C-alpha cells in the first residue's frame, strides 16, 4: 500500500494483515481487512459496506489498495458516517477508492459506466445490512446478464486503449502485470463474460494462469515493499526466488498452457533471507512463465470476444437458411467470421502444407482461425518433409509478408503448437528474454515483428521473399554461446535448406544473418570517409543485391527493437555508408571523401558554425583542439556522436555531430561564445568542465586495438561506462600522451559507450600502445 507520501509501513503493522504470497495469503489478508473494517462501521440499519476490486474478490495483494462502496437506504447523516469510516483508513496509510450511494444510484452509474458495472460484479458484503447488500449485488448481476452483449462494445474499446498504452504482457521484457494485454485486468473481463453466460471463458488453463499472475504480483510487492505492477528487469531474479523458480525454465513453463490444461500448485512461502533468494532466482524462467500465462489469458479473451460478437450480430444465413460459407483460399473458408477448413479438406488426407496455408489465409484476410480448426490441424496435419514442398514455402512467405495480419495469425498458431511442427527451433526461442536495454520484446516476438517491419521494404529489394525470411531468422543464434550473428549463420542456412531454398539462396541467408549488424556498427563506429572502411564493407557484402537486402533488414530490425535502436543521425550515417558501398560495388572504385566545408577554410579565425546537430569549428592549427571543443560541448550538455579533425592550409578543423544529453538544446549564443573563447585559448571555459566532470560506474573499462582498419591510422576502441565529459577527458589524455586524433565515433549502448578513436600513425610498438592505453584508462 502506498500513500501520497511514499512507501507505507508493512500492512501487518497497521491492521494485522499478513504479507505472504499465494492464494491462502490473499484470503488471509481479505479476512483481516474484513474484520478490521467491520469494527470501523457503526451498527446502523439501512447501511452496508461492500468491498469491490481485489478485496471483493478476496485476492488482496500485499500492498494493494482498498475499493469500498458504502450503500445506504437514504438514512440521514450518511456523509458523517462515511467520513468516520474513511478517515481511519487513510490514517492507517492505506490507498482508498470509495463511493457512497443508494442502490438506485449505484445501478444508474453502472448503467452508464461499464467499468463500474464490472466492479459491482465483484461486490461482497463486509459489514452492515445483508439484505441491502444482497439487493445491490443481485440487481447488478442481473443487469449485467441482460446488457452484457451490448456493453461489451465500449468495454472492448476501453480495453483496446489500455492495450495500446501498455502493450502485450506476453512479449514485453518489462510488462505491467495488471494493465498490459493478457494481464490481471483482462481476467476480470473474462470473468464478466463467463458470468453473462456468453461462453465458458474461465477454463482451467485460464484459472491456473490467473493464479500464477497473482502470485507474481504478490512476490513483486513483497520484493519492493510497495505497490508496483510493472515487472522490471532488475526485479525479476528476486521475484523468481520468492516464487521458488531457482532452476532453468521447464518446457511446460516456456509455452502457453494449452486449452483445457490443469492448474499447478501455488508457490511456497517466501524464505526470510531475501538476498540469498535473489541470487538464486531464475529471472528468465519467471519471464517465460509470465509470458505463457499472459498468452493463455489473451487467447481466451480473444475467443470470448468473438463469441460475443457472433451472439450480437447473429449468423449470416443464405437463402436456404444455412450459415454462409465463403471460400477464401484453397481448402479454407470463412464461416461466422472465422476461418475453418473446407469439408473436402477434412474428408481427405491432409497434405503437410495445410496448416501453413490456413495460417497464411488468416494473415492475409485478417480473420481468426476457429479454435476447432486449430485443434484439428494440431492433431491431424502431417509433419512437413525435408525439404518443404513448394506450397509450404510459398505459404510461409505469404504469412511473413502479410503485414499487420501476421502477428495475430502467428500467435494463434503458436498457441496450438503448429509452429513447433514447422520449425523445431522455435521451442528454444519462445519467450526468450533479451538482456539489452534497447530491446522491448522477447526474442520470439522480436523475430516476428522484424518480419512484419520488413514487409514495408519488400519493394526496395529484388528478392522480397529472401528479405522476409532473413528478417525472421536474423537473431536465430541468440540464446546460444558466442556471438549470435556468427552462431546463427549456419543455423539459418540449415533452416533455409530445410525450408526448400536452393543451395545458393540458403548460403545467402547465412550471409544475411552473419552480416545483419555490419551496416549500423560500421556506420556509427568507423570513419566513412576512409577508403579502407568502404572497401572492407563492399568486400564483405559482395554485390548490390545483398547490400539492398541488408539495408532493408537493418531498418526493419531497428523498428522492431524499440525507439532507442534508431535515430535520424544513425539513419543518415547508414544511408551514407550504403550509398558509398553501392558506388564501390557498381564502379569498382571507392568514392573520394567529401571536401571540407568552404566556410571553414576561408575567412578570419576562429570560425564557429552551428547547424542542427552539426557543430563545426576552425581555428589556428594547434594540438588539443578536439579535446577543447569536446570539453566545451560537454559543458553545454551536448553528447558528441561523431567527431572529425583535420588540418587544411594551416587551419585546424573540427566537425562534430551532437545531440542534447538531456533532451534540451543549449543556448546557441552562449555555446558559440564559449567555443570562440575556448579555441582562442581561454582555459577558463574547460576549467569549469573539470569541476563538473563525473566518472562512470560499473564494469572495468577496456581498450581494444584495431591495426588495419584505416588508411593512415590505428583504431583505439574504448568500452566503458557512460559519463558526462568522458570524450573530453579521453581526448585530453590522448593529446597529452602525444597521440593525434583525426576522427572519433561515439556509440552509446544503454549505460555504456563504445568510443573509437582514429590515431594518426602506425603505432607499431607494444610499449607505446601500452603507455597510451594506460593513459586512456586512467582518464576514464
Amino acid at each position: 500500500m502506498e500513500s501520497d507520501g511514499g512507501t507505507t509501513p508493512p500492512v501487518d503493522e497497521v491492521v494485522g494483515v499478513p504479507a505472504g504470497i499465494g492464494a491462502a495469503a490473499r484470503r488471509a489478508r481479505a479476512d483481516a481487512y474484513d474484520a478490521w473494517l467491520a469494527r470501523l462501521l457503526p451498527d446502523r440499519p439501512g447501511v452496508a459496506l461492500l468491498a469491490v476490486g481485489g478485496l471483493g474478490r478476496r485476492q488482496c495483494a500485499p500492498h494493494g489498495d482498498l475499493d469500498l462502496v458504502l450503500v445506504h437506504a437514504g438514512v440521514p447523516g450518511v456523509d458523517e458516517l462515511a467520513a468516520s469510516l474513511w478517515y481511519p483508513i487513510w490514517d492507517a496509510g492505506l490507498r482508498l477508492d470509495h463511493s457512497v450511494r443508494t442502490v438506485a444510484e449505484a445501478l444508474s452509474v453502472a448503467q452508464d459506466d461499464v467499468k463500474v458495472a464490472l466492479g459491482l460484479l465483484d461486490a461482497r458484503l463486509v459489514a452492515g445490512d445483508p439484505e441491502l447488500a444482497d439487493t445491490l449485488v443481485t440487481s447488478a448481476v442481473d443487469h449485467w446478464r441482460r446488457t452484457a452483449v451490448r456493453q461489451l462494445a465500449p468495454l472492448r474499446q476501453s480495453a483496446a486503449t489500455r492495450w495500446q498504452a501498455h502493450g502485450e504482457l506476453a512479449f514485453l521484457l518489462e510488462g505491467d502485470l495488471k494493465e498490459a494485454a493478457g494481464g490481471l485486468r483482462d481476467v476480470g473481463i473474462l470473468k464478466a463474460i463467463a458470468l453473462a453466460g456468453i461462453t465458458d471463458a474461465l477454463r482451467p488453463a485460464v484459472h491456473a494462469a490467473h493464479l500464477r499472475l497473482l502470485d507474481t504480483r504478490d512476490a513483486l510487492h513483497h520484493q519492493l515493499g510497495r505497490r508496483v505492477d510493472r515487472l522490471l528487469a532488475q526485479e525479476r531474479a528476486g521475484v523468481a526466488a520468492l516464487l521458488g523458480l531457482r532452476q532453468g525454465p521447464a518446457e511446460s513453463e516456456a509455452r502457453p498452457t494449452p486449452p483445457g490444461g490443469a492448474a499447478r500448485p501455488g508457490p511456497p512461502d517466501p524464505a526470510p533471507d531475501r538476498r540469498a533468494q535473489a541470487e538464486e532466482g531464475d529471472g528468465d524462467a519467471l519471464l517465460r512463465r509470465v509470458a505463457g500465462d499472459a498468452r493463455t489469458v489473451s487467447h481466451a479473451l480473444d475467443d470470448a470476444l468473438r463469441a460475443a460478437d457472433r451472439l450480437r450480430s447473429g449468423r449470416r444465413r443464405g437463402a436456404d437458411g444455412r450459415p454462409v460459407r465463403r471460400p477464401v483460399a484453397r481448402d479454407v473458408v470463412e464461416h461466422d467470421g472465422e476461418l475453418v477448413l473446407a469439408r473436402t479438406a477434412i474428408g481427405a488426407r491432409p497434405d503437410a502444407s495445410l496448416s501453413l496455408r490456413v495460417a497464411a489465409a488468416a494473415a492475409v484476410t485478417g480473420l481468426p482461425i476457429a479454435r476447432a480448426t486449430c485443434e484439428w490441424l494440431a492433431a491431424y496435419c502431417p509433419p512437413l518433409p525435408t525439404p518443404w514442398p513448394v506450397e509450404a514455402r510459398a505459404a510461409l512467405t505469404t504469412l511473413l509478408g502479410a503485414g499487420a495480419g501476421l502477428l495475430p495469425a502467428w500467435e494463434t498458431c503458436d498457441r496450438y503448437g503448429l509452429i513447433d511442427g514447422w520449425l523445431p527451433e522455435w521451442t528454444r526461442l519462445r519467450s526468450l528474454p533479451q538482456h539489452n536495454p534497447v530491446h522491448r520484446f522477447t526474442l520470439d516476438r522480436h523475430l516476428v515483428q522484424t518480419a512484419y517491419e520488413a514487409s514495408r521494404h519488400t519493394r526496395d529489394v529484388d528478392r522480397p521473399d529472401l528479405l522476409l525470411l532473413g528478417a525472421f531468422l536474423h537473431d536465430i543464434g541468440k540464446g546460444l554461446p558466442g556471438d549470435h550473428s556468427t552462431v546463427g549463420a549456419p543455423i539459418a542456412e540449415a533452416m533455409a535448406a530445410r525450408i526448400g531454398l536452393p543451395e545458393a539462396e540458403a548460403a545467402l541467408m547465412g550471409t544475411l544473418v552473419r552480416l545483419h549488424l555490419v551496416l549500423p556498427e560500421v556506420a556509427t563506429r568507423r570513419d566513412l570517409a576512409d577508403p579502407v572502411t568502404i572497401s572492407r564493407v563492399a568486400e564483405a557484402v559482395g554485390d548490390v543485391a545483398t547490400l539492398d537486402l541488408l539495408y532493408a533488414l537493418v531498418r526493419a530490425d531497428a523498428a522492431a527493437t524499440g525507439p532507442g535502436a534508431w535515430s535520424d543521425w544513425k539513419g543518415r550515417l547508414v544511408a551514407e555508408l550504403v550509398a558509398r558501398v553501392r558506388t564501390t560495388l557498381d564502379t569498382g572504385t571507392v568514392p573520394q571523401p567529401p571536401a571540407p566545408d568552404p566556410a571553414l577554410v576561408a575567412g578570419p579565425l576562429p570560425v564557429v558554425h552551428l547547424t542542427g546537430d552539426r557543430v563545426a569549428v576552425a581555428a589556428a592549427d594547434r594540438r588539443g583542439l578536439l579535446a577543447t571543443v569536446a570539453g566545451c560541448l560537454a559543458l553545454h550538455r551536448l553528447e558528441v556522436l561523431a567527431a572529425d579533425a583535420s588540418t587544411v592550409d594551416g587551419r585546424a578543423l573540427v566537425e562534430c555531430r551532437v545531440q542534447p544529453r538531456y533532451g534540451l538544446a543549449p543556448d546557441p549564443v552562449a555555446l558559440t561564445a564559449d567555443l570562440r573563447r575556448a579555441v582562442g585559448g581561454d582555459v577558463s571555459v574547460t576549467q569549469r568542465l573539470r569541476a563538473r566532470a563525473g566518472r562512470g560506474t560499473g564494469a572495468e573499462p577496456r581498450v581494444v586495438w584495431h591495426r588495419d582498419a584505416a588508411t593512415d591510422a590505428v583504431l583505439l576502441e574504448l568500452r566503458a561506462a557512460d559519463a558526462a565529459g568522458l570524450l573530453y577527458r579521453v581526448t585530453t589524455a590522448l593529446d597529452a600522451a602525444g597521440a593525434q586524433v583525426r576522427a572519433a565515433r561515439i556509440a552509446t549502448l544503454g549505460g555504456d559507450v563504445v568510443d573509437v578513436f582514429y590515431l594518426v600513425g602506425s603505432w607499431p610498438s607494444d610499449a607505446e600502445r601500452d603507455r597510451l592505453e594506460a593513459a586512456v584508462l586512467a582518464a576514464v
Side-chain angles (χ1 to χ4, degrees):
M1 285 162 286
E2 188 177 13
S3 67
D4 294 338
T7 303
T8 62
V11 287
D12 57 351
E13 296 180 12
V14 180
V15 291
V17 180
I21 297 172
R26 290 189 288 272
R27 289 192 297 270
R29 281 191 287 272
D31 291 342
Y33 278 128
D34 284 358
W36 182 61
L37 293 170
R39 293 195 297 270
L40 297 179
L41 182 69
D43 185 13
R44 291 185 58 179
V47 176
L49 180 63
L50 277 71
V52 295
L55 180 57
R57 296 185 296 271
R58 298 175 61 81
Q59 294 170 349
C60 298
H63 294 276
D65 52 4
L66 296 181
D67 295 321
L68 300 174
V69 180
L70 185 63
V71 183
H72 65 97
V75 298
V78 70
D79 291 337
E80 293 79 4
L81 174 62
S84 70
L85 182 63
W86 308 147
Y87 276 99
I89 298 175
W90 288 323
D91 291 341
L94 306 179
R95 291 173 54 119
L96 174 65
D97 187 0
H98 61 88
S99 61
V100 181
R101 291 175 178 136
T102 64
V103 171
E105 290 170 343
L107 294 175
S108 176
V109 174
Q111 186 172 0
D112 297 331
D113 190 333
V114 68
K115 293 182 180 179
V116 175
L118 257 63
L120 289 179
L121 299 181
D122 296 322
R124 180 177 60 83
L125 176 67
V126 173
D129 189 334
E131 292 186 4
L132 186 64
D134 183 67
T135 298
L136 175 58
V137 172
T138 302
S139 299
V141 171
D142 180 65
H143 174 264
W144 172 255
R145 285 174 172 162
R146 288 185 287 103
T147 64
V149 174
R150 174 176 55 83
Q151 293 206 72
L152 279 178
L155 179 60
R156 173 184 288 182
Q157 183 176 0
S158 173
T161 301
R162 171 169 52 84
W163 298 335
Q164 182 68 29
H166 294 279
E168 298 174 82
L169 181 58
F171 308 112
L172 293 171
L173 296 172
E174 295 185 333
D176 190 303
L177 297 170
K178 182 177 182 180
E179 303 291 347
L184 294 170
R185 197 173 290 281
D186 283 352
V187 179
I189 300 177
L190 281 170
K191 178 182 177 182
I193 292 174
L195 188 61
I198 295 173
T199 184
D200 180 18
L202 293 177
R203 297 186 291 271
V206 176
H207 179 68
H210 183 210
L211 291 179
R212 286 191 294 267
L213 289 173
L214 288 171
D215 292 343
T216 303
R217 186 176 65 172
D218 287 356
L220 181 59
H221 284 202
H222 185 81
Q223 168 83 2
L224 295 176
R226 56 192 173 91
R227 181 192 178 199
V228 175
D229 293 328
R230 188 180 177 197
L231 182 59
L232 298 178
Q234 62 264 29
E235 308 300 341
R236 285 202 297 259
V239 172
L242 291 171
L243 294 172
L245 297 175
R246 297 185 177 86
Q247 303 296 327
E251 178 62 23
S252 59
E253 292 179 342
R255 346 182 7 165
T257 307
R264 296 189 184 95
D269 289 335
D273 189 350
R274 189 180 302 172
R275 179 176 299 177
Q277 288 177 325
E279 293 174 353
E280 298 176 9
D282 191 336
D284 287 2
L286 173 64
L287 189 65
R288 285 178 178 258
R289 192 175 87 169
V290 168
D293 292 336
R295 280 174 155 168
T296 298
V297 172
S298 289
H299 296 323
L301 185 55
D302 288 343
D303 287 344
L305 291 175
R306 287 201 300 272
D309 287 343
R310 290 193 297 271
L311 189 62
R312 183 176 64 250
S313 60
R315 291 187 171 186
R316 290 188 303 154
R317 299 181 179 275
D320 58 358
R322 302 177 65 180
V324 174
R325 294 168 64 92
R326 178 177 67 89
V328 297
R330 183 164 68 92
D331 297 328
V332 186
V333 299
E334 177 191 355
H335 176 74
D336 267 0
E338 296 180 325
L339 296 187
V340 299
L341 293 175
R343 295 185 181 91
T344 54
I346 297 175
R349 177 179 176 83
D351 67 82
S353 66
L354 180 59
S355 60
L356 269 164
R357 291 191 285 108
V358 173
V364 170
T365 63
L367 295 172
I369 309 172
R371 188 171 87 182
T373 299
C374 291
E375 292 171 345
W376 190 93
L377 291 170
Y380 298 109
C381 195
L384 287 160
T386 301
W388 286 13
V390 174
E391 295 85 355
R393 189 165 67 253
L396 178 64
T397 300
T398 302
L399 174 61
L400 294 177
L406 164 64
L407 302 174
W410 189 275
E411 179 61 14
T412 297
C413 293
D414 197 20
R415 173 191 183 188
Y416 290 93
L418 300 180
I419 295 175
D420 288 350
W422 308 338
L423 305 167
E425 296 85 356
W426 195 250
T427 301
R428 177 179 62 81
L429 306 174
R430 184 182 290 109
S431 303
L432 186 66
Q434 301 196 76
H435 300 287
N436 186 305
V438 177
H439 278 277
R440 57 179 171 172
F441 292 132
T442 53
L443 179 58
D444 55 340
R445 174 56 179 270
H446 174 68
L447 295 177
V448 180
Q449 187 76 27
T450 305
Y452 161 69
E453 300 291 349
S455 67
R456 305 172 186 267
H457 303 287
T458 52
R459 296 184 181 182
D460 301 335
V461 298
D462 292 337
R463 289 293 303 273
D465 55 333
L466 298 184
L467 171 61
L468 294 169
L469 187 58
F472 176 67
L473 298 178
H474 74 284
D475 277 348
I476 198 72
K478 283 189 174 179
L480 299 174
D483 178 84
H484 76 278
S485 300
T486 304
V487 173
I491 299 175
E493 189 170 343
M495 293 177 68
R498 189 173 76 241
I499 289 171
L501 266 61
E503 183 178 352
E505 295 177 4
L508 176 57
M509 200 57 51
T511 299
L512 294 180
V513 172
R514 187 174 64 256
L515 300 181
H516 77 273
L517 294 177
V518 165
L519 294 182
E521 288 184 349
V522 170
T524 56
R525 300 184 189 179
R526 295 293 184 266
D527 181 8
L528 302 187
D530 193 315
V532 172
T533 299
I534 305 303
S535 60
R536 292 208 171 163
V537 174
E539 181 181 357
V541 172
D543 57 70
V544 172
T546 303
L547 178 66
D548 289 341
L549 288 170
L550 285 171
Y551 186 31
L553 174 54
V554 164
R555 289 174 286 170
D557 187 15
T561 296
W566 199 250
S567 64
D568 291 341
W569 168 79
K570 189 173 184 178
R572 288 196 301 270
L573 286 180
V574 173
E576 180 183 347
L577 173 61
V578 170
R580 294 174 69 82
V581 171
R582 184 189 304 278
T583 298
T584 302
L585 292 172
D586 283 340
T587 66
T589 303
V590 178
Q592 292 296 315
D597 185 348
L600 298 179
V601 295
L605 297 176
V607 178
V608 175
H609 283 174
L610 308 181
T611 54
D613 63 351
R614 177 175 172 267
V615 175
V617 175
D621 190 13
R622 66 178 177 84
R623 295 180 61 88
L625 183 62
L626 175 58
T628 299
V629 172
C632 193
L633 294 175
L635 187 65
H636 287 264
R637 295 181 174 84
L638 285 173
E639 290 182 334
V640 178
L641 304 173
D644 293 292
S646 59
T647 302
V648 178
D649 297 332
R651 291 175 173 238
L653 311 181
V654 173
E655 296 187 59
C656 299
R657 294 290 179 178
V658 299
Q659 67 180 11
R661 188 172 186 86
Y662 301 110
L664 296 176
D667 179 4
V669 176
L671 174 58
T672 300
D674 276 351
L675 282 170
R676 287 182 176 276
R677 291 169 53 203
V679 302
D682 186 346
V683 297
S684 65
V685 178
T686 52
Q687 283 175 345
R688 281 188 283 157
L689 177 68
R690 293 191 186 100
R692 298 185 186 182
R695 299 280 171 164
T697 59
E700 289 295 318
R702 180 187 174 200
V703 167
V704 178
W705 292 89
H706 302 275
R707 298 292 305 279
D708 300 316
T711 304
D712 59 349
V714 296
L715 274 60
L716 183 152
E717 181 179 291
L718 171 65
R719 303 174 185 177
D722 190 18
L726 178 63
L727 178 61
Y728 165 69
R729 295 197 304 273
V730 173
T731 50
T732 299
L734 290 170
D735 180 63
Q740 179 183 351
V741 180
R742 74 161 176 80
R745 295 293 180 269
I746 314 302
T748 303
L749 308 171
D752 292 336
V753 295
V754 180
D755 294 352
V756 179
F757 301 90
Y758 281 70
L759 308 182
V760 176
S762 60
W763 294 87
S765 168
D766 291 341
E768 285 297 294
R769 289 198 305 275
D770 290 344
R771 180 179 64 84
L772 208 59
E773 181 175 329
V776 169
L777 294 177
V780 174

